[in-house]
Amino acid sequence: MTRASIAAAVSLIATLTAFAASSSNGIASGGPVSVSALAPADEYFGRLKMSPLEIRHQTLTLKDDLHHARAHPDVIEHKAELVEDAVDDWVAKYPNDTWIASAAWQLGTLFEELPGKDAHEHAIVVLELVRDHCPGTAFAGDAKRDLDRGIGIRPWPHWAGNPPTGQVLAANTAPAPAAKATAKPTPVATQTPANANDAPSLVSAILGAGATPDPQRTASIEQLEDRFWTLSRGGTDAAYARAAWELAAVFERLPGTNSKAQAIRLLALLVDRYPEQIYGRWAMRDLARGIGERS
């Protein structure tokens, strides 16, 4: 073998190794990956026989159609379910393919953005796949965070007209009257250590109140928000950035227009004042995706 051919062979091996160790987003997979673990470009999955590139492209196209109101949500959801079928087939045949994490994450967030209970259930299934099947990836961490916070049911958008027959959505259904509280919410001062007068104690109190968000305890959570604004001097003290993020997460899980508005206000604060902190980046992601209103 000539010196030139040896050099060419070495170059080819290096190229294949680098390709196999990265995902479709160019994100390292965390270790060497056999080229055989990756689905070939001409391999097709699911009922629609979609390649990995087609799966990614179709997901992003459907997101763009939803964001620009080019198609009704039920049509987009039907197509997304066919993409999900292709992803499931892909996972079954090439479980170690490093492209799966990013592709499934994009699909899961598409279902999160679609309205209705069916989309909500598909979002949970796909995000659980990302969390459990792709551990150690950034996408698995994002999926776990969304699942831990809770996946909301998005209301039917006004631009899409009436929802399809049989699709009962939260926004079109009058909520059942809440039962009268038999007792006033426990004062925050008795719930939290050191009266939640420092950032760690305030975060602990918010996490405790948000563990099982209860509409009847909204008053207690609003007291924690008041304490946040006071202790953080109007949101200017960066030590309280996590408190703002955890408060926003609780309000995102509570029903009603007011809770939605409070969540948006806190997320906007994080984006405006703490853009370099991880909480500011998470807040930007949530706002870009859209904050739904719970019923």
Side-chain angles (χ1 to χ4, degrees):
M1 181 179 289
T2 67
R3 181 175 299 176
S5 61
I6 292 173
V10 171
S11 176
L12 175 61
I13 292 171
T15 300
L16 290 175
T17 302
F19 176 76
S22 67
S23 73
S24 58
N25 281 346
I27 298 173
S29 64
V33 177
S34 170
V35 173
S36 63
L38 303 175
D42 58 351
E43 184 87 6
Y44 302 101
F45 304 102
R47 284 171 285 172
L48 292 187
K49 302 301 179 184
M50 304 176 71
S51 71
L53 287 174
E54 288 173 324
I55 289 171
R56 290 173 52 79
H57 175 72
Q58 177 75 332
T59 301
L60 295 175
T61 298
L62 292 174
K63 277 192 176 187
D64 196 55
D65 287 345
L66 179 64
H67 296 165
H68 293 89
R70 295 194 190 99
H72 277 237
D74 56 316
V75 173
I76 294 174
E77 182 180 341
H78 173 69
K79 292 181 178 179
E81 289 172 4
L82 293 172
V83 176
E84 183 182 2
D85 174 66
V87 169
D88 290 340
D89 190 26
W90 182 10
V91 172
K93 293 177 179 175
Y94 294 88
N96 297 319
D97 194 326
T98 53
W99 285 41
I100 290 172
S102 61
W105 163 253
Q106 291 290 350
L107 179 62
T109 56
L110 169 60
F111 279 123
E112 280 193 84
E113 295 175 17
L114 285 165
K117 191 172 187 299
D118 289 345
H120 158 262
E121 292 174 353
H122 281 282
I124 292 174
V125 169
V126 176
L127 291 174
E128 286 178 343
L129 167 68
V130 177
R131 181 195 64 192
D132 300 336
H133 186 78
C134 311
T137 67
F139 304 105
D142 289 341
K144 182 180 185 302
R145 185 175 64 245
D146 281 15
L147 289 164
D148 289 347
R149 183 190 309 159
I151 308 300
I153 300 177
R154 293 292 178 98
W156 188 259
H158 294 298
W159 57 262
N162 294 324
T165 303
Q167 178 75 297
V168 179
L169 303 177
N172 300 85
T173 306
K180 291 185 178 179
T182 57
K184 293 182 179 180
T186 305
V188 174
T190 65
Q191 294 177 347
T192 60
N195 206 21
N197 280 331
D198 56 73
S201 296
L202 181 59
V203 169
S204 177
I206 295 167
L207 291 173
T212 53
D214 181 349
Q216 295 187 21
R217 293 186 62 190
T218 300
S220 293
I221 297 167
E222 288 175 345
Q223 289 178 44
L224 288 171
E225 185 189 11
D226 290 341
R227 189 168 295 280
F228 160 75
W229 290 111
T230 300
L231 296 177
S232 67
R233 296 175 176 83
T236 59
D237 188 340
Y240 291 85
R242 185 184 174 189
W245 166 255
E246 298 295 353
L247 272 171
V250 175
F251 281 123
E252 282 190 75
R253 296 164 62 189
L254 286 170
T257 303
N258 289 339
S259 293
K260 173 184 175 181
Q262 286 167 300
I264 291 173
R265 181 170 66 250
L266 289 162
L267 293 172
L269 166 74
L270 287 164
V271 171
D272 180 52
R273 298 184 184 175
Y274 313 118
E276 300 305 318
Q277 289 199 29
I278 190 170
Y279 307 112
R281 297 197 296 273
W282 288 350
M284 174 66 78
R285 187 207 65 183
D286 280 14
L287 289 170
R289 184 184 304 165
I291 307 302
E293 181 179 323
R294 301 290 182 100
S295 64

